[in-house]
Amino acid sequence: MTHHLHRTLSLSMLTLTLMGMGTPVVTSLAATIPTDQPATNVPNPVDPDLAPIMNGAKMPEAMALPPVPANGQPGSRIALSKDKKGYNANTRDLGGYLTKDKTKKIKPGTLFRSAQITKLNNEDAAKLASFKIGLIIDLRTPQAHLSKIDAPIGQAKSKVDSIYSKEDDDALSGGDHYNRKNGGSIAFSRTALTGYHDFLTDLLSAEAPVLYHCKHGNDRTGIATVILMSVLGMSNQDIINDYLMSNNYVDKKVNYAWLKTYFSQIDERFGGMENYITSKDGLNFGAAQQDALKAKYLVASGMTKPTEKPIGPNNVTSGSETPSIPSTVKPGPEKPSTPSTVKPGAEKPSIPSTVNPGAEKPSIPSAVKPGPEKPSTPSAVKPGPEKPATPSAVKPGPEKPSIPNTAKPSPSKPVVPNPHTPNATSKPESTKKPVIQPVESIQNPSTTYTRPKSQKSRKIKVKIFSIKKIKHAKFVHLKSHRAYFFDLHLKHKVGTSGKTGLHPKAKWKMIKRAKISVNGKLKNYIEVQSPHGKKRWILLKDVLMVKPNTHHVH
């Protein structure tokens, strides 16, 4: 009997599967299986560079090259003459980029990014001068600024805010500047931190439009723009697109992976971009300065933020918007129509039970109806009289049901208040939530990531007594797992761990010797240089001298 039953059930399932009726069952079951997907805004613990946190939101693992925008649109270049190395091909106006809430945009004709402007002809210079540019910020080294001089643009003054030290500029290129092995020199070297701080403060004090540039206009200028757009509040999507847009205009490319490494290290060291910008150990550009920068370079976009409002203070916004919208859709019968479950519009008692909760919640508090309303719910007769009274004062409540059609999430959220917890009419709104958070897939403002502040070492007081150059070449091996630094003030450790690796055979050249006091204790440090030109400071006792006969100077 049992065998016969099993055979019958098997045949039934086979029939249903062939008819396509079994699929929904399988699908629904699969949908209930829990997944081990990582939290939306938590970086991958195995590979932190895979999808790091950018301005509080998880970055996509990959990004396509953005299309070239039409002339005059954000990201489009200013047409200049062609030169052999393509320096004139990457000059752009940042004007038009919208803030996350769409209500403001960068004022056109105030901020320009570019490659070095050494190859401008007279027409190019005249075109740029027409923008009334008053300040040119050169992010190159002082040596490059003097050897390859910018062409004059009108009466614009020039200033150098160098990002790379001469040593890093000579020894590294492209992705090497982002690399952890080199300490992320484009972001964390003392020169970079000072350079970006000066860049932001120069923008704040500028009295006319500003043009800033490096050599090719993509690495140093690209990161400067990432920082600037983060301060001004642009979306992650626009920030990434603007960074990658250089690949459409110049031969020297940037890599999206470099940007991910950049943000990953910022998250590890500072706990996020905001701390990196405001911290005294970072760019030291405070909240008041950021507000002033926004006031200076942002203007109204002429757009409203209908979809973003419900995400924030739902109760307040929905309540305030309700009165105006419902006034036109006064019809009481319409109320029951919205909540499909309580269609009995004729039954006054039932209508208040479903409609009042969703709509009256926000309006009732303002009219102080909540008191009488509560007892009215239990008594079937009370809702009737209560309705007429409410319309006369603040009818918005009853009309709220109509609002769900226009201000989706607003009405549903008010249902949360305690007075009418039994009513669960907020479900419709939950279905519309996806509409509230549209295209901003990579920069979802509703989900914020809070990460503990970066592990900062305890503050140390360093006093430098003497620094001497070592005349005769001496070579050393670095002991493993020893702390070493980019600077003699011991503020910037090298790499993520801040310690030397297992490279006992690598020979480093001693360049300088210094006597310093660390928290009152006298220490001997030496500056060493790797075969690749990298320079580091390390305790003298943490190195092993290489015997002269083991090294041949070429």
Side-chain angles (χ1 to χ4, degrees), residues 412-458:
S412 65
K413 286 193 172 159
V415 183
V416 181
N418 302 331
H420 292 280
T421 36
N423 307 334
T425 51
S426 60
K427 299 288 191 227
E429 273 94 329
S430 63
T431 57
K432 298 175 184 180
K433 260 188 181 178
V435 183
I436 300 173
Q437 303 153 341
V439 190
E440 309 260 18
S441 59
I442 66 172
Q443 124 108 40
N444 200 341
S446 64
T447 56
T448 53
Y449 168 69
T450 309
R451 186 188 184 91
K453 286 193 175 181
S454 59
Q455 49 280 39
K456 293 181 183 176
S457 56
R458 64 187 183 84

Side-chain angles (χ1 to χ4, degrees), residues 98-105 299-310 321 436 438 440:
L98 294 169
T99 53
K100 282 178 262 191
D101 62 8
K102 314 296 183 193
T103 60
K104 293 184 179 179
K105 65 180 180 181
V299 294
S301 66
M303 299 174 64
T304 55
K305 47 177 179 179
T307 55
E308 302 252 353
K309 253 188 177 179
E321 289 179 0
I436 300 173
E440 309 260 18

Side-chain angles (χ1 to χ4, degrees), residues 55 163 183-197 200 223-224 226-228 230-231 262-263 265-286 290 453-454 456 492:
N55 294 327
I163 303 302
S185 62
I186 198 168
F188 309 113
S189 71
R190 184 168 52 182
T191 310
L193 294 172
T194 303
Y196 290 127
H197 168 82
L200 291 174
I223 292 300
V226 166
I227 294 170
L228 174 58
S230 295
V231 170
Y262 168 80
F263 272 101
Q265 292 180 84
I266 282 179
D267 202 47
E268 291 168 7
R269 295 183 183 221
F270 291 88
M273 190 66 163
E274 184 178 351
N275 286 340
Y276 171 66
I277 293 169
T278 59
S279 169
K280 290 183 179 179
D281 294 327
L283 304 188
N284 195 20
F285 195 71
Q290 294 180 51
K453 286 193 175 181
S454 59
K456 293 181 183 176
H492 304 291

